[in-house]
Coordinates of all heavy atoms in Angstrom, one line a residue:
Chain E
D9 N 4.1 8.1 11.7 CA 2.9 9.1 11.7 C 2.8 9.7 13.1 O 2.7 10.9 13.2 CB 1.7 8.3 11.2 CG 0.6 9.2 10.9 OD1 0.7 10.4 10.9 OD2 -0.5 8.7 10.6
Y10 N 2.8 8.8 14.1 CA 2.6 9.3 15.4 C 3.8 10.3 15.8 O 3.6 11.3 16.5 CB 2.7 8.1 16.4 CG 1.5 7.1 16.2 CD1 1.6 5.8 16.7 CD2 0.3 7.5 15.6 CE1 0.6 4.9 16.6 CE2 -0.7 6.6 15.4 CZ -0.5 5.3 15.9 OH -1.6 4.4 15.8
L13 N 3.0 13.6 14.6 CA 2.0 14.2 15.4 C 2.5 14.8 16.7 O 2.3 15.9 17.1 CB 0.9 13.2 15.6 CG -0.3 13.7 16.5 CD1 -0.9 14.9 15.9 CD2 -1.3 12.6 16.6
Chain R
T90 N -0.8 7.5 4.6 CA -1.3 7.3 5.9 C -2.7 6.7 5.9 O -3.3 6.6 4.8 CB -1.5 8.7 6.7 OG1 -2.4 9.5 5.9 CG2 -0.2 9.4 6.7
E91 N -3.2 6.2 7.0 CA -4.5 5.6 7.0 C -5.6 6.5 6.6 O -6.5 6.1 5.9 CB -4.8 5.1 8.4 CG -3.7 4.3 9.1 CD -4.0 2.8 9.0 OE1 -5.2 2.4 9.1 OE2 -3.1 2.0 8.9
C92 N -5.5 7.7 7.0 CA -6.6 8.7 6.8 C -6.6 9.1 5.4 O -7.6 9.8 5.0 CB -6.4 9.9 7.8 SG -4.9 10.8 7.5
C99 N -7.9 7.0 11.1 CA -7.3 6.1 12.1 C -8.0 6.3 13.4 O -8.9 7.0 13.6 CB -5.8 6.3 12.2 SG -5.4 7.8 13.2
I101 N -7.1 7.8 16.0 CA -7.0 9.1 16.7 C -7.2 10.3 15.8 O -6.7 11.4 16.0 CB -5.6 9.2 17.3 CG1 -4.5 9.1 16.2 CG2 -5.3 8.1 18.4 CD1 -3.1 9.5 16.8
T102 N -8.0 10.0 14.7 CA -8.2 11.1 13.8 C -8.7 12.4 14.4 O -8.3 13.5 14.0 CB -9.2 10.6 12.7 OG1 -8.7 9.4 12.2 CG2 -9.3 11.6 11.6
C105 N -5.9 14.5 15.7 CA -4.9 14.8 14.7 C -5.2 15.9 13.7 O -6.3 15.9 13.2 CB -4.5 13.5 14.0 SG -3.2 13.7 12.8
L107 N -3.2 16.6 11.1 CA -2.2 16.5 10.0 C -2.7 15.8 8.7 O -2.0 15.7 7.8 CB -1.0 15.6 10.5 CG -0.3 16.1 11.8 CD1 0.6 15.1 12.3 CD2 0.4 17.4 11.4
A108 N -4.0 15.5 8.8 CA -4.5 14.8 7.6 C -4.3 15.5 6.3 O -3.9 15.0 5.3 CB -6.0 14.5 7.9
W111 N -0.6 15.4 5.1 CA -0.2 14.1 4.5 C -0.9 14.0 3.2 O -0.4 13.4 2.2 CB -0.5 13.0 5.4 CG 0.5 12.8 6.5 CD1 0.4 12.9 7.8 CD2 1.9 12.4 6.3 NE1 1.5 12.6 8.5 CE2 2.5 12.4 7.6 CE3 2.7 12.2 5.2 CZ2 3.9 12.1 7.7 CZ3 4.0 11.9 5.3 CH2 4.6 11.8 6.6
Ligands
SF4_2 S1 -5.5 11.2 11.3 FE1 -3.4 11.8 11.8 S2 -2.6 10.1 13.0 FE2 -4.4 9.3 11.9 S3 -3.6 8.4 10.0 FE3 -4.2 10.6 9.6 S4 -2.3 11.7 9.9 FE4 -2.0 9.7 10.9

Side-chain angles (χ1 to χ4, degrees):
Chain E
D9 194 3
Y10 298 159
L13 179 55
Chain R
T90 63
E91 308 260 327
C92 60
C99 74
I101 61 171
T102 308
C105 179
L107 302 169
W111 281 118

